[in-house]
């Protein structure tokens, strides 16, 4: 498995360049085709602001300004992409909203990369794309510019469908890492849910080993907030990437899980790889 088509969200935010650089470097390593996708926001503007004639002359300057801003962000993406020896790259501009356009294109890609964005945005865009596209997302933190190669990875494991998808989608990264730690909180609950016939702690280690990944399983007590616990452990172990499931399918389930997705995407200081 490898990432042969990667899409990166192109947006006018402070750490955009770091996000493009990370995406381009990963595309170079994977020999992947890299797509930069920018949304002008015109569709939302027309829907929320314009109540009458979309073609009115007074509206045109606003639309031109929004599209020009998207074009400038794509120019920055192109400059970054051109500095790497890539198998291929392209720019795309759409008028649709970022969540919808990214989700639609990501279904034809192997990986979607986007920035953590502003503090007020929370987990919104990343979780939306992961859930709606079925494609894994890799979120680049705004706090610092991450670098490749990723030598140490922390995998959050709770035996769920989402965690399993994240683990499988992240295999190219896990296989290249020098060290992989598997974090399990509340082993007793995990084993109880799995049943007497399966020992999850042993099974996850065996599964990764057969994929060429040597992993150390770290067992901890149940945490009040799994997101905070994962980030703390990532710092303790010196992880350069956190891999985890994205839990946002239902409000009830997210509440029961303590909002791990929301916590991580709000407070992350390292890249996070997620799948829903």
């Amino acid at each position: 498995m490898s990432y042969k088509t990667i899409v990166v969200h192109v947006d006018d935010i402070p750490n955009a360049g770091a996000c493009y650089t990370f995406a381009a470097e990963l595309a170079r390593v994977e020999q992947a085709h890299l797509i930069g996708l920018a949304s002008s926001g015109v569709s939302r503007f027309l829907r929320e602001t314009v109540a009458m004639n979309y073609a009115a002359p007074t509206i045109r300057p606003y639309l031109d300004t929004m599209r020009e801003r998207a074009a400038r962000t794509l120019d920055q993406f192109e400059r970054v992409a051109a500095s790497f020896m890539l198998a291929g790259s392209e720019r795309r501009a759409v008028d649709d909203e970022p969540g919808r356009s990214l989700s639609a294109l990501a279904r034809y890609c192997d990986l979607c990369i986007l920035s953590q964005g502003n503090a007020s945005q929370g987990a919104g865009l990343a979780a939306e794309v992961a859930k709606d596209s079925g494609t894994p997302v890799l979120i680049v933190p705004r706090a610092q510019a991450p670098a490749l190669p990723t030598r140490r990875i922390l995998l959050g494991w709770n035996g769920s469908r989402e965690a399993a998808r994240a683990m499988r989608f992240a295999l190219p990264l896990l296989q290249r890492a020098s060290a992989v730690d598997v974090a399990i909180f509340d082993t007793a609950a995990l084993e109880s849910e799995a049943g007497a016939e399966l020992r999850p702690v042993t099974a996850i280690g065996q599964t990764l080993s057969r994929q060429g990944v040597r992993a150390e399983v770290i067992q901890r007590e149940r945490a009040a907030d799994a997101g905070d616990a994962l980030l703390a452990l990532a710092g303790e172990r010196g992880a350069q990437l956190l891999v985890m499931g994205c839990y946002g399918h239902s409000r009830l389930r997210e509440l029961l899980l303590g909002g791990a997705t929301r916590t991580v995407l709000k407070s992350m200081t390292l890249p996070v790889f997620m799948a829903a």
Side-chain angles (χ1 to χ4, degrees):
M1 177 184 175
S2 59
Y3 310 119
K4 289 305 180 185
T5 308
I6 298 173
V7 58
V8 59
H9 180 218
V10 175
D11 196 10
D12 184 18
I13 54 177
N15 65 334
C19 184
Y20 309 154
T21 299
F22 187 88
E25 177 63 17
L26 183 57
R28 184 193 66 78
V29 171
E30 293 287 329
Q31 297 185 317
H33 184 81
L34 180 64
I35 303 172
L37 179 66
S39 173
S40 68
V42 164
S43 63
R44 174 178 289 182
F45 173 80
L46 292 176
R47 186 178 66 253
E48 297 180 354
T49 308
V50 182
M52 298 177 64
N53 183 9
Y54 289 0
T58 55
I59 298 300
R60 180 58 56 185
Y62 292 100
L63 305 186
D64 290 344
T65 298
M66 297 173 79
R67 288 172 175 143
E68 288 169 3
R69 184 172 58 196
R72 287 196 298 271
T73 63
L74 283 167
D75 289 342
Q76 182 186 10
F77 161 75
E78 277 196 322
R79 288 193 294 270
V80 172
S83 65
F84 291 82
M85 295 293 291
L86 301 181
S89 68
E90 62 178 288
R91 58 187 279 167
R92 296 191 189 185
V94 296
D95 284 337
D96 208 347
E97 296 175 37
R100 291 182 56 179
S101 58
L102 273 174
S103 295
L105 181 56
R107 296 181 191 123
Y108 301 91
C109 301
D110 303 305
L111 181 64
C112 177
I113 299 178
L114 63 165
S115 172
Q116 182 186 11
N118 300 320
S120 60
Q121 290 178 304
L125 184 59
E128 179 184 353
V129 174
K131 183 175 84 70
D132 290 348
S133 70
T135 300
V137 298
L138 200 162
I139 307 98
V140 177
R142 61 176 176 270
Q144 60 187 40
L148 289 171
T150 302
R151 297 298 187 190
R152 191 171 201 106
I153 298 176
L154 177 65
L155 168 64
W157 185 254
N158 62 1
S160 68
R161 169 188 177 276
E162 293 86 352
R165 283 172 57 80
M167 180 267 290
R168 292 190 181 96
F169 282 132
L171 277 174
L173 301 172
L174 294 169
Q175 289 166 340
R176 282 198 294 269
S178 301
V180 174
D181 297 317
V182 180
I184 298 178
F185 298 98
D186 198 353
T187 303
L190 177 60
E191 292 181 341
S192 175
E193 183 177 342
E197 297 80 11
L198 179 64
R199 295 187 59 82
V201 174
T202 302
I204 185 60
Q206 291 174 336
T207 296
L208 290 169
S209 177
R210 291 173 188 135
Q211 292 286 351
V213 178
R214 295 186 61 183
E216 178 181 350
V217 178
I218 301 173
Q219 302 177 65
R220 294 287 171 89
E221 296 295 324
R222 181 176 181 177
D225 188 314
D228 281 336
L230 280 170
L231 291 175
L233 184 58
E236 177 185 325
R237 302 292 291 184
Q240 298 168 295
L241 176 71
L242 171 61
V243 176
M244 62 179 289
C246 178
Y247 308 103
H249 290 276
S250 74
R251 181 175 177 82
L252 175 61
R253 185 170 189 183
E254 186 170 354
L255 288 172
L256 291 173
L257 288 165
T261 300
R262 183 172 54 251
T263 298
V264 167
L265 292 182
K266 179 181 179 181
S267 305
M268 56 184 276
T269 57
L270 76 167
V272 176
F273 184 106
M274 284 186 169

